[in-house]
Amino acid sequence: MNKFVLILAGAALASCTSRPQQTAVYDVIPLPQSVSVDLGGEGFVLKPSAKIAYFGADTSMRRNAELLASYLEPLTGMRLEVVEAPAKGAITITDTLRSESPEAYRLVASADGIVIDGASAAGAFYGMQTLRKSIPAAMEADVLFPAVSIADAPRFPYRGVHFDCSRHFFPVDSVKEYIDILALHNVNHFHWHLTDDQGWRIEIKKYPLLTEKGSWRKGTVIGTDFSSNDSIPYGGYYTQDDAREIVRYAAERHITVVPEVDMPGHMQGALNAYPSMGCEGGPYEVWMRWGVSDQVLCAGNDSVYAFVDDVIDELCEIFPSEYFHIGGDECPKKKWKECEACQAKIRSLGLKSDSHSTAEQKLQTHFMTHAAEHLASKGRRAIGWDEIMEGGMTPGTVIMSWRGPKHAVTAARAGHDAILTPTAYCYFDYLQAPDSITDEQLLSYRTYLPVEKVYSLEPVDSTLTAEEARHILGAQCNLWCEYIPTLSYAEYKLLPRLAAMSEVQWTRPEKKDIDDFMRRLRQIVKTYDAEGYNYARFALDPAATADGK
Ligand code: ACM
Ligand code: ZN
């Protein structure tokens, strides 16, 4: 073969092996505080030979780097090698940024590489999420990252998503995938609703019947017809090792798991296991229908307070979170009014009805205060649903304002911290589809909550002073799962509304713009596609089917 033929053969080989290239677009959700694209600058081309290099002695930076490699693979077809920094032509992640916000990061792309510098490992992680979400389509291709400098930090320190794993039970792997979805949206608190009337789902070693008996119901109503029942036993629970595994998995993604034990109402699962804890002594069934049950813990029985302490003690060993949710919502007072022990407790505490509260509401405050003080003695802070203010406030407790934003305003004015989760904006069990009877409507509460409405939530009421506004810790969306039996349907309910919520939680209000958000939504769903997440397509395309299953 002569030299000329050899050159031709080499060129053909080169053209066969040259890879396609796509260009990153920094149209990400949540929108960073500042994105400066350097139009004259040369960008960085990410190729399979590039490395992900990490600085930082502790394992969380290495873990970050490994996660970034796993995030980039479905988007680019490349599995990049992870190495200790420094490395040339790399994506370098480090945690040396000085910032007032511990979750801040800077991302700089130039011809030499990409540097993500976080104020902490968590900050670097959010920079990684931005990088990942800037890749517009999943394809086997090199990626040109145009020269850019991004400076970012979250607006709120508490960015939560809730998951009801009592009404339906989701296996550990499903909970992990749910956490992955939260990580993609820069969420940092996972509120895990573990107990309710329809099933107690966390192992407590001192009270084995909670899971042996209290995690199983004999059947479930069919659809929304409360007179029906499928008679199919339904149950499941997380062992303490399962819960530890979830805590570890979430922590690697810089998410804190906030456990919720809902008390003193929503307790039929526990009452089935230990009927002496109810005002009437039982028997009680693990509830087979949805709604609010009159059967609650007896607040006049000292062994109930000891039970609460014991449960908190075991769970604090598993969940390192500063916050611990003690419920407090929807606790009817009917049984307490009829119960001799509860009435005796009211008398012994000297509780009297007044123009603000009934004696029974004050008894609930006494109950919640007991739990909150026990948590405080262990260095933890209680969160409660806003009903816990009805009988007078428990000092130090964070209010989760769900029956409208006004309870957050009341709490903040009184000097208490609050988290916004009002139903009209934050209840993702509500409908995504506007009309027409669809599978979603048959299996849902019927309130319509579109992406745009979620986006419009402003957590800080304009009447609050700057001092009061500091008590608004953030916002959270809730996924109650009465009508959500599968992870796929949970994903559909969450997405893309969580994208809107993430911008409420992260982005400064002056930068929010619904039209721009809807445009950027088209990009983040490409990441949903790459990860195989189910989402409500008609939020982008009204002609798409509203069936979420
Ligand atoms: C609630 O939705 N019951 C807090
Ligand atoms: Zn009682």
Side-chain angles (χ1 to χ4, degrees):
M1 213 184 290
N2 67 30
K3 198 173 163 197
F4 180 67
V5 174
L6 261 180
I7 290 169
L8 272 185
L13 197 65
S15 73
C16 286
T17 55
S18 81
R19 291 162 46 90
Q21 180 174 299
Q22 57 171 327
T23 302
V25 183
Y26 303 113
D27 277 346
V28 300
I29 292 174
L31 186 68
Q33 309 306 344
S34 142
V35 178
S36 308
V37 177
D38 177 2
L39 294 174
E42 208 183 317
F44 175 68
V45 181
L46 186 73
K47 293 178 180 300
S49 57
K51 310 263 191 290
I52 300 178
Y54 64 93
F55 278 105
D58 69 6
T59 51
S60 58
M61 289 303 282
R62 181 175 176 89
R63 177 74 60 198
N64 270 352
E66 282 162 355
L67 283 171
L68 182 57
S70 72
Y71 293 149
L72 294 180
E73 191 170 6
L75 293 164
T76 63
M78 301 181 233
R79 182 77 192 195
L80 302 184
E81 193 187 343
V82 169
V83 296
E84 247 181 278
K88 278 203 156 84
I91 303 174
T92 301
I93 52 175
T94 180
D95 59 355
T96 58
L97 183 71
R98 286 172 179 272
S99 170
E100 277 175 14
S101 164
E103 295 178 300
Y105 70 90
R106 252 174 199 282
L107 187 161
V108 176
S110 69
D112 295 339
I114 296 173
V115 177
I116 297 171
D117 191 12
S120 62
F125 185 77
Y126 300 125
M128 287 162 40
Q129 296 300 337
T130 291
L131 187 78
R132 164 194 194 191
K133 286 179 276 194
S134 70
I135 300 173
M139 57 192 285
E140 300 234 344
D142 296 347
V143 187
L144 167 64
F145 288 92
V148 75
S149 175
I150 298 176
D152 201 7
R155 179 180 180 199
F156 290 110
Y158 185 103
R159 305 181 301 280
V161 174
H162 152 287
F163 195 19
D164 167 13
C165 292
S166 169
R167 274 51 176 271
H168 281 101
F169 174 72
F170 294 83
V172 168
D173 281 349
S174 299
V175 178
K176 286 183 176 174
E177 183 159 332
Y178 196 87
I179 288 169
D180 285 335
I181 295 174
L182 309 200
L184 176 67
H185 294 84
N186 301 11
V187 167
N188 65 355
H189 285 87
F190 169 50
H191 172 172
W192 201 10
H193 187 80
L194 284 165
T195 68
D196 217 304
D197 295 314
Q198 295 80 6
W200 181 285
R201 307 252 176 261
I202 179 73
E203 177 188 25
I204 301 294
K205 295 202 191 287
K206 193 161 181 183
Y207 299 89
L209 298 184
L210 286 172
T211 43
E212 263 173 51
K213 293 182 70 185
S215 73
W216 281 91
R217 58 179 182 256
K218 293 198 173 114
T220 305
V221 292
I222 301 167
T224 51
D225 176 5
F226 284 7
S227 67
S228 70
N229 193 297
D230 65 12
S231 301
I232 301 169
Y234 185 93
Y237 69 90
Y238 305 99
T239 64
Q240 294 197 350
D241 283 344
D242 289 340
R244 281 198 182 87
E245 171 66 9
I246 293 293
V247 167
R248 184 197 61 75
Y249 190 86
E252 285 177 359
R253 286 146 186 85
H254 306 281
I255 293 173
T256 301
V257 183
V258 179
E260 182 185 356
V261 176
D262 202 347
M263 60 181 90
H266 290 279
M267 268 286 173
Q268 270 198 215
L271 289 176
N272 168 263
Y274 296 99
S276 64
M277 294 198 301
C279 289
E280 292 166 343
Y284 305 100
E285 65 170 25
V286 181
W287 223 18
M288 296 191 274
R289 47 154 288 194
W290 318 127
V292 177
S293 169
D294 284 335
Q295 302 294 354
V296 303
L297 291 177
C298 177
N301 177 347
D302 287 343
S303 66
V304 168
Y305 293 84
F307 165 80
V308 166
D309 293 349
D310 291 338
V311 168
I312 287 174
D313 287 347
E314 285 198 28
L315 294 184
C316 281
E317 290 295 311
I318 298 166
F319 297 95
S321 168
E322 176 193 2
Y323 298 118
F324 190 115
H325 205 303
I326 54 173
D329 60 323
E330 298 175 324
C331 177
K333 306 297 186 292
K334 183 169 185 292
K335 300 295 169 194
W336 288 3
K337 284 199 177 105
E338 296 161 358
C339 170
E340 186 39 47
C342 284
Q343 291 304 316
K345 189 68 144 186
I346 284 173
R347 283 192 298 278
S348 75
L349 293 168
L351 305 178
K352 300 228 162 18
S353 297
D354 58 30
S355 56
H356 298 295
S357 323
T358 64
E360 285 75 20
Q361 284 171 329
K362 291 182 180 177
L363 181 59
Q364 180 167 350
T365 290
H366 168 77
F367 188 97
M368 304 317 288
T369 302
H370 175 93
E373 284 179 351
H374 190 65
L375 281 163
S377 75
K378 304 172 87 71
R380 311 299 180 96
R381 275 188 89 186
I383 302 181
W385 300 109
D386 59 54
E387 286 96 327
I388 68 168
M389 293 193 293
E390 285 173 350
M393 187 67 197
T394 297
T397 305
V398 179
I399 298 302
M400 208 165 247
S401 187
W402 73 279
R403 295 175 304 169
K406 65 178 185 219
H407 302 286
V409 174
T410 307
R413 287 218 174 101
H416 299 290
D417 289 344
I419 295 162
L420 272 287
T421 176
T423 53
Y425 303 85
C426 298
Y427 270 42
F428 284 11
D429 46 337
Y430 291 177
L431 288 173
Q432 293 224 50
D435 44 34
S436 74
I437 293 296
T438 63
D439 278 6
E440 189 194 17
Q441 277 187 313
L442 291 175
L443 287 169
S444 183
Y445 291 107
R446 297 210 168 187
T447 313
Y448 176 40
L449 175 51
V451 169
E452 293 86 343
K453 175 92 183 190
V454 177
Y455 196 78
S456 71
L457 175 64
E458 171 43 55
V460 180
D461 189 89
S462 61
T463 65
L464 292 180
T465 65
E467 178 57 31
E468 290 163 353
R470 271 195 276 282
H471 289 293
I472 305 299
L473 302 182
Q476 173 175 293
C477 53
N478 295 338
L479 198 64
W480 297 103
C481 291
E482 288 93 335
Y483 300 106
I484 302 178
T486 64
L487 178 66
S488 170
Y489 196 41
E491 288 176 0
Y492 167 88
K493 288 292 206 180
L494 212 50
L495 303 174
R497 289 186 288 199
L498 179 54
M501 177 52 64
S502 76
E503 213 139 292
V504 170
Q505 295 170 330
W506 184 278
T507 306
R508 306 222 161 257
E510 60 278 11
K511 295 195 78 80
K512 281 176 66 197
D513 174 339
I514 183 65
D515 295 332
D516 186 56
F517 170 79
M518 293 307 284
R519 185 181 63 76
R520 286 180 286 115
L521 200 53
R522 296 189 180 281
Q523 180 155 317
I524 199 171
V525 298
K526 300 286 173 42
T527 315
Y528 299 167
D529 286 332
E531 294 290 342
Y533 298 150
N534 187 21
Y535 60 93
R537 284 168 174 76
F538 65 87
L540 296 142
D541 170 12
T545 169
D547 177 359
K549 287 191 296 163

